[in-house]
Amino acid sequence: MTEDLFMVLELQKIDSNEYMWQYEPALFEDYDTAFDYFNNLAAAETEQVFKKPKVKTPVRVSLKTKDIELWIVKRTDHLIKN
């Protein structure tokens, strides 16, 4: 059985092609909560609120100093046996 988890990360821009983790990723079980968190991070720097997609989809915003991304992560309860 698999389930969707949602992760929001902040990537600090070092230069045009290089990024560094800014903080530990935030993990959520609900897309709406994850998107609200994503929106709050983006609005803190841009004062712009983004419209939530109708379908659960990964999103990304590129700001001056960092990129903010919302990822959809698949998690399974099956164990791998050697």
Side-chain angles (χ1 to χ4, degrees):
M1 184 173 160
T2 61
E3 66 177 308
D4 288 343
L5 296 175
F6 307 96
M7 184 167 60
V8 178
L9 8 131
E10 295 178 71
L11 302 169
Q12 182 181 5
K13 291 182 182 179
I14 297 172
D15 61 33
S16 60
N17 294 328
E18 195 172 348
Y19 296 90
M20 180 178 77
W21 294 101
Q22 189 163 356
Y23 301 105
E24 287 295 316
L27 196 61
F28 300 92
E29 293 181 356
D30 178 60
Y31 184 80
D32 294 335
T33 306
F35 191 84
D36 289 343
Y37 183 78
F38 169 87
N39 235 349
N40 288 337
L41 290 175
E45 193 165 323
T46 64
E47 297 180 6
Q48 179 181 2
V49 177
F50 296 95
K51 186 177 178 183
K52 185 175 68 172
K54 292 180 181 181
V55 178
K56 294 177 184 177
T57 182
V59 290
R60 177 183 186 189
V61 63
S62 186
L63 307 172
K64 288 182 181 181
T65 60
K66 62 184 172 183
D67 285 0
I68 303 170
E69 300 179 354
L70 189 156
W71 293 6
I72 299 174
V73 180
K74 299 281 186 194
R75 181 178 176 180
T76 182
D77 59 358
H78 299 293
L79 298 175
I80 299 174
K81 296 181 183 179
N82 289 342

